[in-house]
Coordinates of all heavy atoms in Angstrom, one line a residue:
P83 N -18.1 0.6 2.2 CA -18.1 0.5 3.6 C -16.8 0.9 4.2 O -15.7 0.7 3.7 CB -18.3 -1.0 3.9 CG -17.6 -1.7 2.7 CD -17.7 -0.7 1.5
I84 N -16.9 1.6 5.4 CA -15.7 1.8 6.3 C -15.8 0.8 7.4 O -16.7 0.8 8.2 CB -15.8 3.2 7.0 CG1 -16.5 4.3 6.1 CG2 -14.5 3.6 7.6 CD1 -15.6 4.8 5.0
I85 N -14.8 -0.1 7.3 CA -14.9 -1.2 8.3 C -14.0 -1.0 9.5 O -12.8 -0.5 9.3 CB -14.4 -2.5 7.6 CG1 -15.4 -2.8 6.4 CG2 -14.4 -3.7 8.5 CD1 -16.8 -3.1 6.8
D86 N -14.5 -1.2 10.7 CA -13.7 -0.9 11.9 C -12.5 -1.8 11.9 O -12.6 -3.0 11.4 CB -14.6 -1.2 13.2 CG -15.6 -0.2 13.4 OD1 -15.5 0.9 12.7 OD2 -16.6 -0.4 14.2
S87 N -11.4 -1.3 12.4 CA -10.1 -2.0 12.3 C -10.2 -3.4 13.0 O -9.5 -4.4 12.6 CB -8.9 -1.2 12.7 OG -9.2 -0.6 14.0
N88 N -11.0 -3.5 14.1 CA -11.1 -4.8 14.8 C -11.8 -5.9 14.0 O -11.9 -7.0 14.4 CB -11.6 -4.6 16.2 CG -13.0 -4.0 16.2 OD1 -13.6 -3.9 15.1 ND2 -13.5 -3.7 17.4
K89 N -12.4 -5.5 12.9 CA -13.1 -6.4 12.0 C -12.3 -6.8 10.8 O -12.8 -7.6 10.0 CB -14.5 -5.9 11.6 CG -15.5 -5.8 12.8 CD -16.9 -5.5 12.3 CE -17.8 -5.5 13.5 NZ -19.0 -4.6 13.3
K90 N -11.1 -6.2 10.6 CA -10.3 -6.6 9.5 C -9.5 -7.8 9.8 O -9.1 -8.0 11.0 CB -9.4 -5.4 9.1 CG -10.2 -4.1 8.8 CD -9.3 -3.1 8.2 CE -10.1 -1.8 8.0 NZ -9.7 -0.9 6.9
S91 N -9.2 -8.6 8.8 CA -8.4 -9.8 9.0 C -7.7 -10.2 7.7 O -8.0 -9.7 6.6 CB -9.3 -10.9 9.4 OG -10.3 -11.2 8.4
A92 N -6.7 -11.1 7.8 CA -6.0 -11.6 6.7 C -6.9 -12.2 5.6 O -6.7 -12.0 4.4 CB -4.9 -12.6 7.1
M93 N -7.9 -12.9 6.0 CA -8.8 -13.6 5.1 C -10.1 -12.8 4.8 O -11.0 -13.3 4.1 CB -9.1 -15.0 5.6 CG -7.9 -16.0 5.7 SD -7.1 -16.2 4.1 CE -8.3 -17.2 3.2
A94 N -10.2 -11.6 5.4 CA -11.4 -10.7 5.1 C -12.7 -11.4 5.3 O -13.7 -11.1 4.6 CB -11.3 -10.2 3.6
E95 N -12.8 -12.2 6.4 CA -14.1 -12.9 6.7 C -15.3 -12.0 6.8 O -16.4 -12.3 6.4 CB -14.0 -13.7 8.0 CG -13.2 -15.0 7.9 CD -11.7 -14.8 8.2 OE1 -11.3 -13.6 8.3 OE2 -11.0 -15.8 8.3
E96 N -15.1 -10.8 7.3 CA -16.2 -9.9 7.5 C -16.9 -9.5 6.2 O -18.1 -9.2 6.2 CB -15.7 -8.6 8.2 CG -16.7 -7.5 8.5 CD -17.8 -8.0 9.5 OE1 -17.6 -9.0 10.2 OE2 -18.9 -7.3 9.5
A97 N -16.2 -9.6 5.1 CA -16.9 -9.3 3.8 C -18.1 -10.2 3.5 O -19.0 -9.9 2.8 CB -15.8 -9.5 2.7
L98 N -18.1 -11.4 4.2 CA -19.1 -12.4 3.9 C -20.2 -12.4 5.0 O -21.1 -13.2 4.9 CB -18.5 -13.8 3.8 CG -17.3 -13.9 2.8 CD1 -16.9 -15.4 2.7 CD2 -17.7 -13.4 1.4
N99 N -20.1 -11.5 6.0 CA -21.1 -11.5 7.1 C -22.4 -11.1 6.5 O -22.6 -10.0 6.1 CB -20.5 -10.5 8.1 CG -21.5 -10.4 9.3 OD1 -22.6 -11.0 9.3 ND2 -21.1 -9.6 10.3
P100 N -23.4 -12.0 6.6 CA -24.8 -11.6 6.1 C -25.4 -10.4 6.8 O -26.3 -9.8 6.3 CB -25.6 -12.9 6.3 CG -24.8 -13.8 7.2 CD -23.4 -13.3 7.2
N101 N -24.9 -10.2 8.0 CA -25.4 -9.0 8.8 C -24.3 -7.9 8.9 O -24.3 -7.0 9.7 CB -25.8 -9.4 10.2 CG -26.9 -10.4 10.1 OD1 -27.9 -10.2 9.4 ND2 -26.8 -11.5 10.9
G102 N -23.4 -7.9 7.9 CA -22.3 -6.9 7.9 C -22.8 -5.5 7.5 O -24.0 -5.4 7.2
L103 N -21.9 -4.6 7.5 CA -22.3 -3.2 7.3 C -23.0 -3.0 5.9 O -24.0 -2.3 5.8 CB -21.1 -2.3 7.4 CG -21.2 -0.8 7.4 CD1 -22.3 -0.3 8.4 CD2 -19.9 -0.1 7.6
I104 N -22.4 -3.6 4.9 CA -22.9 -3.4 3.5 C -24.2 -4.1 3.4 O -25.2 -3.6 2.9 CB -21.8 -3.9 2.5 CG1 -20.9 -2.8 2.2 CG2 -22.5 -4.4 1.2 CD1 -21.5 -1.5 1.6
Q105 N -24.2 -5.4 3.8 CA -25.4 -6.2 3.7 C -26.6 -5.5 4.4 O -27.7 -5.4 3.9 CB -25.2 -7.6 4.2 CG -24.3 -8.4 3.4 CD -22.8 -8.2 3.7 OE1 -22.4 -7.3 4.4 NE2 -21.9 -9.0 3.1
S106 N -26.3 -4.9 5.6 CA -27.4 -4.2 6.4 C -27.8 -2.9 5.7 O -29.0 -2.6 5.7 CB -26.9 -3.9 7.8 OG -26.4 -5.0 8.4
S107 N -26.8 -2.2 5.1 CA -27.2 -1.0 4.4 C -28.1 -1.3 3.2 O -29.0 -0.5 2.9 CB -25.9 -0.3 3.8 OG -25.0 -0.2 4.8
I108 N -27.8 -2.3 2.4 CA -28.6 -2.7 1.3 C -30.0 -2.9 1.7 O -31.0 -2.3 1.1 CB -28.1 -3.9 0.6 CG1 -26.6 -3.8 0.1 CG2 -29.0 -4.3 -0.6 CD1 -25.9 -5.1 -0.3
K109 N -30.2 -3.7 2.7 CA -31.5 -4.1 3.2 C -32.3 -2.8 3.7 O -33.4 -2.6 3.4 CB -31.5 -5.1 4.4 CG -31.1 -6.5 3.9 CD -31.1 -7.4 5.1 CE -29.9 -8.4 4.9 NZ -29.4 -9.0 6.2
A110 N -31.6 -1.9 4.4 CA -32.2 -0.7 4.9 C -32.7 0.2 3.8 O -33.8 0.7 3.8 CB -31.3 0.0 5.9
I111 N -31.8 0.4 2.8 CA -32.2 1.3 1.7 C -33.3 0.7 0.9 O -34.3 1.3 0.5 CB -31.0 1.6 0.8 CG1 -29.9 2.3 1.6 CG2 -31.4 2.4 -0.4 CD1 -28.6 2.4 0.9
K112 N -33.2 -0.6 0.6 CA -34.3 -1.3 -0.2 C -35.6 -1.3 0.4 O -36.7 -1.2 -0.2 CB -33.8 -2.8 -0.5 CG -32.9 -2.9 -1.7 CD -33.7 -2.7 -3.0 CE -32.7 -2.6 -4.2 NZ -33.4 -2.1 -5.4
D113 N -35.6 -1.4 1.8 CA -36.8 -1.4 2.6 C -37.5 0.0 2.4 O -38.7 0.0 2.3 CB -36.4 -1.6 4.0 CG -37.5 -2.0 4.9 OD1 -38.3 -2.8 4.4 OD2 -37.6 -1.5 6.0
K114 N -36.7 1.0 2.4 CA -37.3 2.4 2.3 C -37.6 2.8 0.9 O -38.6 3.5 0.6 CB -36.4 3.3 3.0 CG -37.1 4.6 3.5 CD -36.3 5.4 4.4 CE -36.8 6.9 4.4 NZ -35.7 7.8 4.6
L115 N -36.7 2.5 0.0 CA -36.7 3.0 -1.4 C -36.5 1.8 -2.4 O -35.5 1.6 -2.9 CB -35.6 4.0 -1.7 CG -35.6 5.2 -0.8 CD1 -34.2 6.0 -1.0 CD2 -36.7 6.2 -1.2
P116 N -37.6 1.0 -2.5 CA -37.4 -0.3 -3.3 C -37.0 -0.1 -4.7 O -36.4 -1.0 -5.3 CB -38.8 -1.0 -3.2 CG -39.7 0.0 -2.5 CD -38.9 1.1 -1.9
D117 N -37.3 1.1 -5.3 CA -36.9 1.2 -6.7 C -35.6 1.9 -6.9 O -35.2 2.2 -8.0 CB -38.1 1.9 -7.5 CG -38.3 3.4 -7.0 OD1 -37.9 3.7 -5.9 OD2 -38.9 4.1 -7.8
M118 N -34.9 2.2 -5.8 CA -33.5 2.8 -6.0 C -32.6 1.7 -6.3 O -32.5 0.6 -5.6 CB -33.1 3.5 -4.7 CG -31.8 4.0 -4.7 SD -31.5 5.4 -5.9 CE -31.8 6.8 -4.9
G119 N -31.8 1.8 -7.4 CA -30.8 0.8 -7.8 C -29.7 0.8 -6.8 O -29.1 1.8 -6.5
I120 N -29.3 -0.4 -6.4 CA -28.1 -0.5 -5.4 C -27.0 -1.2 -6.1 O -27.1 -2.4 -6.6 CB -28.5 -1.3 -4.2 CG1 -29.8 -0.6 -3.5 CG2 -27.3 -1.4 -3.2 CD1 -29.5 0.6 -2.8
I121 N -25.8 -0.6 -6.1 CA -24.6 -1.1 -6.7 C -23.6 -1.3 -5.6 O -23.4 -0.4 -4.8 CB -24.0 -0.1 -7.8 CG1 -25.1 0.2 -8.8 CG2 -22.8 -0.7 -8.4 CD1 -24.6 1.3 -9.8
T122 N -23.0 -2.5 -5.5 CA -22.1 -2.8 -4.4 C -20.7 -3.0 -5.0 O -20.5 -3.6 -6.1 CB -22.5 -4.0 -3.6 OG1 -22.6 -5.1 -4.4 CG2 -23.8 -3.7 -2.8
D123 N -19.7 -2.7 -4.2 CA -18.3 -2.9 -4.6 C -17.9 -4.3 -4.2 O -18.0 -4.6 -3.0 CB -17.4 -1.8 -3.9 CG -16.1 -1.6 -4.5 OD1 -16.0 -1.3 -5.7 OD2 -15.1 -1.8 -3.8
V124 N -17.4 -5.1 -5.2 CA -16.9 -6.4 -4.8 C -15.4 -6.3 -4.9 O -14.8 -6.2 -6.0 CB -17.4 -7.4 -5.8 CG1 -16.8 -8.8 -5.5 CG2 -18.9 -7.5 -5.8
A125 N -14.8 -6.3 -3.7 CA -13.3 -6.2 -3.5 C -13.1 -6.3 -2.0 O -14.0 -6.0 -1.2 CB -12.8 -4.9 -4.0
L126 N -11.9 -6.7 -1.6 CA -11.7 -7.0 -0.2 C -10.9 -5.9 0.5 O -10.7 -6.0 1.7 CB -10.9 -8.3 -0.1 CG -11.7 -9.5 -0.7 CD1 -10.9 -10.8 -0.5 CD2 -13.1 -9.7 -0.2
D127 N -10.6 -4.8 -0.2 CA -9.7 -3.8 0.5 C -10.3 -3.2 1.8 O -9.5 -2.9 2.7 CB -9.3 -2.7 -0.5 CG -10.4 -2.1 -1.2 OD1 -11.3 -2.8 -1.7 OD2 -10.4 -0.9 -1.5
P128 N -11.6 -3.0 1.9 CA -12.1 -2.5 3.2 C -11.9 -3.5 4.4 O -12.0 -3.1 5.6 CB -13.6 -2.3 3.0 CG -13.8 -2.3 1.5 CD -12.7 -3.2 1.0
Y129 N -11.7 -4.8 4.0 CA -11.7 -5.9 5.0 C -10.4 -6.5 5.3 O -10.3 -7.3 6.3 CB -12.7 -7.0 4.5 CG -14.0 -6.5 4.2 CD1 -14.4 -6.1 2.9 CD2 -15.0 -6.4 5.2 CE1 -15.7 -5.7 2.5 CE2 -16.3 -5.9 4.8 CZ -16.6 -5.6 3.5 OH -17.9 -5.1 3.2
T130 N -9.4 -6.2 4.5 CA -8.1 -6.9 4.7 C -7.2 -6.0 5.6 O -7.3 -4.8 5.6 CB -7.3 -7.2 3.4 OG1 -7.2 -5.9 2.6 CG2 -8.1 -8.2 2.5
L131 N -6.2 -6.7 6.3 CA -5.3 -5.9 7.1 C -4.3 -5.2 6.2 O -3.7 -4.2 6.5 CB -4.5 -6.9 8.0 CG -5.4 -7.5 9.1 CD1 -4.7 -8.7 9.8 CD2 -5.7 -6.5 10.2
S132 N -4.0 -5.8 5.0 CA -3.0 -5.2 4.1 C -3.6 -4.0 3.3 O -2.8 -3.2 2.8 CB -2.6 -6.2 3.0 OG -3.8 -6.6 2.2
G133 N -4.9 -3.8 3.2 CA -5.5 -2.7 2.4 C -5.5 -3.1 0.9 O -5.9 -2.3 0.1
H134 N -5.0 -4.3 0.6 CA -5.1 -4.8 -0.8 C -6.5 -5.3 -1.1 O -7.3 -5.7 -0.2 CB -4.1 -5.9 -1.1 CG -2.7 -5.3 -1.4 ND1 -2.5 -4.6 -2.6 CD2 -1.6 -5.2 -0.8 CE1 -1.3 -4.2 -2.7 NE2 -0.7 -4.5 -1.6
D135 N -6.8 -5.4 -2.4 CA -8.2 -5.9 -2.8 C -8.4 -7.4 -2.6 O -9.5 -7.9 -2.9 CB -8.4 -5.5 -4.2 CG -8.6 -4.0 -4.4 OD1 -8.2 -3.2 -3.5 OD2 -9.2 -3.5 -5.4
G136 N -7.3 -8.1 -2.3 CA -7.4 -9.5 -2.1 C -6.6 -10.1 -1.0 O -5.9 -9.3 -0.3
I137 N -6.5 -11.4 -0.9 CA -5.7 -12.1 0.1 C -4.2 -12.0 -0.4 O -3.9 -12.3 -1.5 CB -6.1 -13.5 0.1 CG1 -7.6 -13.6 0.5 CG2 -5.3 -14.3 1.1 CD1 -8.1 -12.9 1.7
V138 N -3.3 -11.6 0.6 CA -1.9 -11.5 0.2 C -1.0 -12.6 0.8 O -1.4 -13.1 1.9 CB -1.3 -10.1 0.5 CG1 -2.0 -9.0 -0.3 CG2 -1.5 -9.8 2.0
D139 N 0.1 -12.9 0.1 CA 1.1 -13.8 0.7 C 2.1 -13.0 1.5 O 1.9 -11.8 1.7 CB 1.8 -14.7 -0.4 CG 2.6 -13.9 -1.3 OD1 2.9 -12.7 -1.0 OD2 3.1 -14.4 -2.3
T140 N 3.1 -13.6 2.0 CA 4.1 -12.9 2.9 C 4.8 -11.8 2.2 O 5.4 -10.9 2.8 CB 5.1 -13.9 3.5 OG1 5.6 -14.7 2.4 CG2 4.5 -14.8 4.5
N141 N 4.8 -11.8 0.8 CA 5.4 -10.7 0.1 C 4.4 -9.6 -0.3 O 4.7 -8.8 -1.2 CB 6.1 -11.2 -1.1 CG 7.2 -12.2 -0.8 OD1 8.0 -11.9 0.2 ND2 7.3 -13.3 -1.5

Side-chain angles (χ1 to χ4, degrees):
I84 322 286
I85 300 299
D86 288 345
S87 48
N88 61 9
K89 291 190 177 154
K90 300 191 186 208
S91 62
M93 296 302 287
E95 284 90 350
E96 180 62 18
L98 310 185
N99 179 356
N101 300 311
L103 185 56
I104 275 297
Q105 291 83 353
S106 310
S107 309
I108 301 167
K109 286 180 217 154
I111 298 169
K112 276 286 171 195
D113 197 40
K114 200 168 162 216
L115 300 167
D117 64 342
M118 178 61 96
I120 304 285
I121 305 174
T122 57
D123 198 56
V124 178
L126 303 181
D127 51 321
Y129 305 95
T130 54
L131 292 166
S132 64
H134 275 292
D135 289 19
I137 303 307
V138 293
D139 68 11
T140 48
N141 297 318

